[in-house]
């Protein structure tokens, strides 16, 4: 899914009329409805299904998610606490805009932990990169079909697998919680075949370095890879001015 074009005027874009949200079903008895609403809204914000600056309505969200307003209200309160959503007096509830300084902090956390994960994965004799190779093939298919959503999913799975191989899979969950702003920037840059090609090529080099337990190469590649999206930040801000704030 390509990101929706931002509003160029002073008012942020509203939530799109299309089916950007997945309705909440009732087949998960152990999960609270508000938790599942929260998870869906976080995913929608991360994936730009809901644009930065979009206005949010409890009534509209409840209708589209097929739930009552109470779990939506609870989920929105958590999103406000997480600073992903802001309540502006006399304006309403808005999705937070992208701050490049927050992206930089997320980059720092991700790069630091992923370099450490790579080093730990290399400490295992003959690391098994079978899953990583399969994910590279999925990315190649996504590139050929220009399926940006599938590419992003395979991209995330590849990095998650490095943490799994390190023996610290929960560390990736910590990275995930931190890097939402970074992910929004990554999603903005994805509808670009040349950028996708570069990412796949870097992924392949990282997997090669892991298979060969080449620590210096792996550290350098992951550091460069983690900084790629941030390097495009100024250009993306110029292209999508309504999505960013200082």
């Amino acid at each position: 899914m390509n990101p929706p074009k931002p509003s160029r005027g002073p008012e942020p874009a509203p939530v799109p009329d299309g089916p950007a949200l997945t309705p909440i079903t009732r087949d998960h008895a152990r999960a609270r409805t508000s938790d599942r609403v929260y998870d869906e809204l976080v995913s929608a914000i991360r994936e730009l299904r809901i644009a930065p600056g979009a206005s949010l309505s409890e009534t509209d969200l409840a209708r589209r998610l097929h739930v009552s307003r109470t779990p939506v209200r609870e989920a929105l309160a958590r999103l406000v606490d997480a600073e992903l959503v802001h309540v502006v007096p006399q304006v309403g509830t808005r999705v937070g805009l992208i701050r490049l300084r927050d992206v930089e902090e997320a980059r720092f956390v991700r790069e630091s932990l992923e370099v450490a994960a790579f080093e730990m994965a290399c400490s295992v004799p003959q690391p098994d990169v079978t899953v990583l190779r399969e994910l590279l093939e999925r990315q190649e298919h996504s590139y050929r079909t220009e399926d940006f959503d599938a590419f992003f999913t395979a991209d995330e799975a590849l990095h998650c697998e490095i943490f799994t191989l390190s023996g610290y899979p929960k560390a990736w969950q910590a990275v995930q919680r931190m890097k939402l702003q970074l992910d929004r920037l990554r999603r903005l840059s994805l509808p670009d075949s040349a950028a996708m090609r570069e990412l796949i090529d870097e992924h392949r080099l990282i997997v090669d370095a892991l298979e060969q337990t080449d620590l210096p190469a792996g550290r350098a590649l992951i550091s460069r890879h983690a900084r790629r999206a941030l390097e495009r930040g100024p250009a993306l801000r110029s292209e999508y001015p309504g999505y960013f704030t200082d």
Side-chain angles (χ1 to χ4, degrees):
M1 179 186 297
N2 293 352
K5 286 293 183 181
S7 169
R8 299 290 179 171
E11 289 297 321
V15 177
D17 293 333
L21 298 177
T22 302
I24 303 299
T25 58
R26 302 184 183 279
D27 57 355
H28 294 78
R30 295 183 180 179
R32 293 196 311 159
T33 300
S34 62
D35 290 340
R36 293 164 61 204
V37 169
Y38 175 83
D39 289 343
E40 173 60 17
L41 292 177
V42 168
S43 294
I45 292 170
R46 181 190 303 276
E47 298 166 6
L48 298 184
R49 288 183 280 135
I50 300 179
S55 60
L56 300 175
S57 158
E58 281 186 16
T59 301
D60 181 57
L61 290 174
R63 174 181 60 81
R64 291 164 59 193
L65 292 169
H66 297 182
V67 297
S68 68
R69 292 179 61 181
T70 299
V72 172
R73 186 177 305 116
E74 292 174 356
L76 287 176
R78 290 176 61 188
L79 289 168
V80 170
D81 288 342
E83 299 185 345
L84 301 179
V85 165
H86 305 289
V87 178
V88 182
Q90 300 181 342
V91 174
T93 304
R94 304 277 192 188
V95 175
L97 299 176
I98 299 171
R99 292 183 176 86
L100 289 180
R101 65 176 180 271
D102 291 341
V103 175
E104 165 58 22
E105 186 169 6
R107 190 279 313 161
F108 172 79
V109 171
R110 176 186 175 178
E111 180 181 339
S112 300
L113 289 179
E114 192 158 1
V115 166
F118 181 90
E119 292 173 348
M120 291 301 298
C122 284
S123 70
V124 178
Q126 296 182 325
D128 184 357
V129 298
T130 303
V131 173
L132 293 172
R133 296 290 183 197
E134 292 172 353
L135 290 167
L136 283 172
E137 290 309 308
R138 283 172 52 185
Q139 291 176 27
E140 291 286 1
H141 178 74
S142 300
Y143 172 74
R144 291 192 296 270
T145 58
E146 295 188 344
D147 188 337
F148 301 111
D149 287 336
F151 174 81
F152 190 82
T153 299
D155 183 324
E156 290 286 283
L158 183 141
H159 292 284
C160 179
E161 177 64 10
I162 292 174
F163 280 83
T164 298
L165 291 173
S166 78
Y168 296 96
K170 291 183 180 179
W172 176 249
Q173 297 174 21
V175 173
Q176 281 286 79
R177 289 191 293 270
M178 180 69 188
K179 70 183 182 70
L180 185 139
Q181 296 280 34
L182 175 60
D183 285 344
R184 291 202 290 177
L185 198 69
R186 290 168 61 209
R187 292 293 300 218
L188 277 180
S189 67
L190 264 187
D192 181 334
S193 294
M196 187 186 293
R197 180 71 265 164
E198 291 174 353
L199 290 172
I200 295 172
D201 292 343
E202 282 188 354
H203 287 158
R204 194 173 299 281
L205 290 172
I206 289 170
V207 174
D208 289 345
L210 179 56
E211 187 173 39
Q212 298 161 14
T213 62
D214 187 340
L215 287 174
R219 292 188 192 104
L221 286 163
I222 289 173
S223 293
R224 185 174 69 193
H225 189 72
R227 300 176 189 211
R228 180 177 291 277
L230 190 61
E231 289 171 355
R232 298 199 62 201
L236 289 170
R237 181 168 187 167
S238 295
E239 185 175 358
Y240 300 94
Y243 284 2
F244 290 83
T245 188
D246 294 327

